[in-house]
Amino acid sequence: MTKERDDHGDAMTTAVNLDKLDLAALLCSRVCHDVISPVGAIVNGLEVLEDEDDPSMKAFALDLIGKSARQASARLQFARLAFGAAGSAGAQIDTGDAENVARGFIQDDRTTLDWTVPRTLSPKNKVKLLLNLVMVASSTIPRGGRISVEATGEGEEGGFRLRTQGSHSRIPAHIVDLLAGHAPEGGALDAHAVQPHYTGLLARATGYGISLALDGDTVVIAAERA
């Protein structure tokens, strides 16, 4: 990490300068973090099936295993598109596929997803940016709510706008700095912070700028050509 300085030479922020191995390791840790809970629930359900004779407990265990398996699958499918290679360099991704994995990742009893992005083939990194913005959006409504995703502009030059609404909407601390490539003051990147940092990397690689604004119970996230 390196310090950036203003015109007077005073230190302002710490720029993140991860090497490729550290970035890969942190992203892998993030994926593991997202799937360890449902996988652990599957294991617990299997233990109940082995130890219990009560039919009601066995039914509960089977229901837990089924729900957890679907959740783990949804999170892995999302990570495959949001973080993975998803084809060769320059490949395009169907935004319909992005919508499907986003719904599996986001939609639950607490959060709903409204998706109005037209279905089209778009550059790989642009779709990866969109999916990572969905993850950023989910962090603004920690107790659940609604996420709306729409396209702005037209064609490959167009951007995205995401709106979130929830009873405890907020812009998480440090997320603006992380999106801009800066480390939290006095802190280092971990598996949680690497996701917004990676989102910023994707934005800069694809020529987009990201802005966040809070208006009452609504957070607006915009990705527009820089």
Side-chain angles (χ1 to χ4, degrees):
M1 299 183 184
T2 57
K3 288 283 187 180
E4 293 184 352
R5 298 181 178 275
D6 60 19
D7 293 338
H8 302 289
D10 298 323
M12 296 188 300
T13 56
T14 303
V16 177
N17 186 23
L18 285 177
D19 65 31
K20 294 178 180 180
L21 290 177
D22 287 339
L23 178 61
L26 285 170
L27 287 175
C28 287
S29 294
R30 175 57 194 248
V31 173
C32 292
H33 175 273
D34 286 344
V35 299
I36 193 64
S37 177
V39 169
I42 293 171
V43 173
N44 291 338
L46 290 172
E47 290 175 349
V48 171
L49 285 179
E50 290 177 353
D51 299 336
E52 286 286 345
D53 294 324
D54 184 346
S56 64
M57 288 300 296
K58 285 184 175 292
F60 170 79
L62 286 172
D63 183 60
L64 175 64
I65 291 169
K67 288 181 178 178
S68 300
R70 288 190 292 272
Q71 186 179 55
S73 176
R75 292 184 177 186
L76 286 172
Q77 289 181 58
F78 183 92
R80 177 176 173 269
L81 282 188
F83 302 135
S88 59
Q92 293 187 317
I93 297 177
D94 189 330
T95 56
D97 293 338
E99 176 184 1
N100 291 336
V101 299
R103 289 194 183 282
F105 183 81
I106 291 294
Q107 200 145 319
D108 55 27
D109 294 337
R110 300 190 310 157
T111 307
T112 58
L113 178 66
D114 294 332
W115 182 286
T116 57
V117 177
R119 184 162 192 171
T120 184
L121 288 175
S122 293
K124 174 181 65 176
N125 282 344
K126 184 176 179 180
V127 177
K128 288 160 67 75
L129 171 62
L130 174 58
L131 290 175
N132 276 273
L133 287 173
V134 170
M135 293 188 75
V136 171
S138 69
S139 72
T140 69
I141 44 173
R143 299 193 181 183
R146 181 180 298 275
I147 301 175
S148 300
V149 185
E150 62 180 348
T152 59
E154 297 182 357
E156 293 190 3
E157 295 300 310
F160 304 107
R161 183 177 295 112
L162 295 84
R163 289 185 173 88
T164 66
Q165 289 182 302
S167 60
H168 291 74
S169 300
R170 84 283 192 273
I171 296 176
H174 308 306
I175 199 164
V176 174
D177 283 340
L178 289 166
L179 289 167
H182 303 146
E185 185 176 352
L189 286 188
D190 56 18
H192 178 74
V194 74
Q195 190 277 320
H197 170 71
Y198 181 67
T199 306
L201 291 177
L202 286 169
R204 290 185 288 279
T206 51
Y208 283 87
I210 301 173
S211 63
L212 289 85
L214 177 63
D215 181 12
D217 66 348
T218 300
V219 177
V220 179
I221 304 170
E224 300 174 331
R225 282 293 182 185

